[in-house]
Amino acid sequence: MIDVRRLRVELDATKAALARKGVPGAEVNRAATLDVEQRRLAREAEDLRGRVKVLSKQVGDAMREGEPAKAEALREESRLLGNELATVEREGSKTERQLRDALLRLPNLPAPDAPDGTSEADNVVVRTVGYDPARYGPHQRVPHWDIGTDLHILDMERGAKISGSMFSLFTGEGATLARALCQLALDRNSDAFTEVRPPSLVRTPAMEAVGQLPKFADDAYHLERDDLWAIPTGEVPLTFMRANEILTAEELPMRLMAYTPCFRRESGAAGRDTRGLLRVHEFDKVELVAICTRTDAPALHQELLERATGAIAALGLPYRVVDISTGDLGQSHARQFDIEVYAPGCDMWLEASSVSWFSDYQARRAAIRYRPRTGGQTQVCDTLNGSALAVPRVWAALVETYRQADGSVEIPDCLQPYFRGLTSITGSVGRVG
RNA sequence: GGAGGGAUGCGAGAGUGGCCGAAUCGGACGGUCUCGAAAACCGUUGUGGGUGUACGCCCACCGUGGGUUCAAAUCCCACUCCCUCCGCCA
């Protein structure tokens, strides 16, 4: 969430910044009003509590001095104040809850240099790398769902039999390819990132901290019986790992990576771009997370972007980098670059990675602070994350791009080490159907 | 799933209704001493919030949330987590 103090010292600037994300000024005003009211009630409660404390002490003294009548009188006085205090406290905590809820729902301020806009249409393509439509032959203009069926490496029908539509089932070399992509992503980033294998089911506070809740509850799978959420991304456990901790300056910047499954209900996306692997409920992803100081954040954002594009480039896939406009920025995001990979079979640019800077929005919710090297007050950290590689769409673009005239799929050099000597996918290995 | 024990400051650990934001030991930091170090001694050492120009002052926090009471780390209830044993089980 944003720093409440902003609402006190620079309300207009905050409103202007949030207006770029389409937040009505009234919503910001409401939070500001609640803040004023909350502090007023807190001050009143403090005052009353202080008086009760003094009186209570005097009751004890009177008892010890053997003056029961005096004690009783003081007790009565304190009781009355106590009732008053209870009323003020009730009101205070109600206001506090409302304020907290209002703050949780206010999105992060966009970075000043994020492009203005009202929707996806205003996103800016920053650069396109390796794309040449003339270079593709007809054998590459086959969508991956057909290739998958031909080579027996992707079986959406049986995936649906097991779990319903939009659940993928990789078989044989298809499964190997999915795993190899993750292995490659982990290996490429192991120079600077600590590998983590976190839980895939998390508690509500973890989802709240990264901004998934309360606003986007419908997008996540929830296990009611145990009140656990299936993570939509490794970002959730990786960011929450250090929640409620004060880090030392020496630990920063902290670089973490994890290979996790990701679960998404895609509640609002029914029927839209759902063929094959374009949109699935469960997929594997290698996520990179950085926790750092404000000063280090911009450089880390660039670093994450380079690492994410680096993996796509290493696979020999054309891609473009999109600067997300304020109209399309996520709730927690200050700045976001998407990497879209070109899939010649579908003839589509597929969003394959999202590299984001959250300023201190997530860290404030998660209470991740650090103590500056110079000592003094703790500071809220900045958080960033990006997909080092998300399997399905890269898998799709890859088999479409590397499809040969004979129908086989060549395995790019950098993946071959994970293929037990295979150099191309012919569908002959581990045939299931 | 059953039985029992526990959760206190950076760590260990005392505290069972008022004198407790909290003994004691340890750690860390600063200082005295020393050529320097060790030892010894002295001091400092949690988080969040409010308020004032300011040395500051005030409030909250002893796992979380409720309750009892004039007064709660301390009593009661619920929950969460950790540990031990048994059962089950990759």
Side-chain angles (χ1 to χ4, degrees), chain A residues 127-412:
Chain A
R127 61 176 183 274
T128 303
V129 179
Y131 176 60
D132 176 9
R135 149 191 141 180
Y136 297 101
H139 57 280
Q140 289 169 291
R141 295 299 185 180
V142 177
H144 64 274
W145 48 87
D146 289 338
I147 301 172
T149 306
D150 287 351
L151 296 177
H152 301 95
I153 54 175
L154 173 65
D155 188 342
M156 293 305 290
E157 281 183 30
R158 289 198 177 89
K161 174 164 76 181
I162 300 168
S163 302
S165 69
M166 293 165 70
F167 277 93
S168 57
L169 174 68
F170 295 107
T171 57
E173 296 131 316
T176 305
L177 175 57
R179 183 171 47 77
L181 287 169
C182 290
Q183 186 70 51
L184 175 76
L186 288 168
D187 288 349
R188 284 181 62 87
N189 294 295
S190 61
D191 59 310
F193 286 72
T194 304
E195 186 174 354
V196 174
R197 174 52 254 236
S200 310
L201 300 178
V202 302
R203 305 214 257 165
T204 300
M207 291 287 278
E208 264 179 4
V210 297
Q212 291 289 334
L213 296 178
K215 257 189 164 175
F216 306 104
D218 286 347
D219 296 331
Y221 287 100
H222 183 219
L223 286 75
E224 278 192 19
R225 191 177 159 133
D226 299 291
D227 194 17
L228 288 169
W229 301 81
I231 55 172
T233 154
E235 162 195 354
V236 180
L238 282 186
T239 305
F240 200 68
M241 222 173 109
R242 292 307 206 109
N244 304 310
E245 293 190 37
I246 298 168
L247 310 176
T248 61
E250 288 70 34
E251 289 180 274
L252 303 179
M254 186 176 289
R255 293 178 171 89
L256 304 167
M257 65 176 175
Y259 167 32
T260 71
C262 302
F263 300 91
R264 301 186 179 181
R265 289 188 68 234
E266 302 292 355
S267 55
R272 212 178 124 215
D273 296 340
T274 54
R275 281 282 258 152
L277 293 171
L278 296 180
R279 191 176 295 279
V280 288
H281 287 309
E282 176 185 349
F283 60 94
D284 286 338
K285 175 159 68 68
V286 173
E287 183 77 358
L288 304 176
V289 162
I291 302 174
C292 65
T293 63
R294 174 60 51 88
T295 317
D296 292 342
L300 275 159
H301 198 190
Q302 283 308 310
E303 180 188 333
L304 290 181
L305 183 59
E306 273 161 38
R307 286 176 180 272
T309 53
I312 303 295
L315 290 167
L317 300 173
Y319 64 89
R320 61 186 190 189
V321 176
V322 181
D323 195 347
I324 303 300
S325 79
T326 54
D328 196 27
L329 270 184
Q331 147 118 351
S332 310
H333 302 62
R335 188 95 193 269
Q336 175 183 352
F337 295 105
D338 279 0
I339 299 164
E340 297 180 341
V341 63
Y342 181 70
C346 320
D347 189 24
M348 286 171 75
W349 289 95
L350 304 177
E351 184 189 326
S353 173
S354 201
V355 181
S356 311
W357 172 45
F358 303 92
S359 61
D360 55 6
Y361 189 86
Q362 293 183 327
R364 181 169 294 104
R365 286 178 172 218
I368 306 170
R369 296 97 90 208
Y370 72 96
R371 194 172 307 284
R373 223 172 280 271
T374 52
Q377 273 294 100
T378 55
Q379 301 283 319
V380 179
C381 295
D382 272 27
T383 58
L384 304 107
N385 67 50
S387 349
L389 199 143
V391 169
R393 293 173 185 164
V394 173
W395 192 103
L398 193 143
V399 300
E400 292 176 6
T401 304
Y402 283 88
R403 185 163 189 268
Q404 307 298 302
D406 66 1
S408 69
V409 170
E410 188 187 303
I411 300 168

Side-chain angles (χ1 to χ4, degrees), chain A residues 66-79:
Chain A
E67 297 184 79
K70 187 180 168 195
E72 185 49 48
L74 288 165
R75 197 175 308 193
E76 183 54 28
E77 194 182 337
S78 178
R79 204 186 337 253

Side-chain angles (χ1 to χ4, degrees), chain A residues 7-19:
Chain A
L7 302 178
R8 328 223 262 244
V9 300
E10 42 189 10
L11 181 59
D12 289 336
T14 305
K15 275 202 278 198
L18 286 174

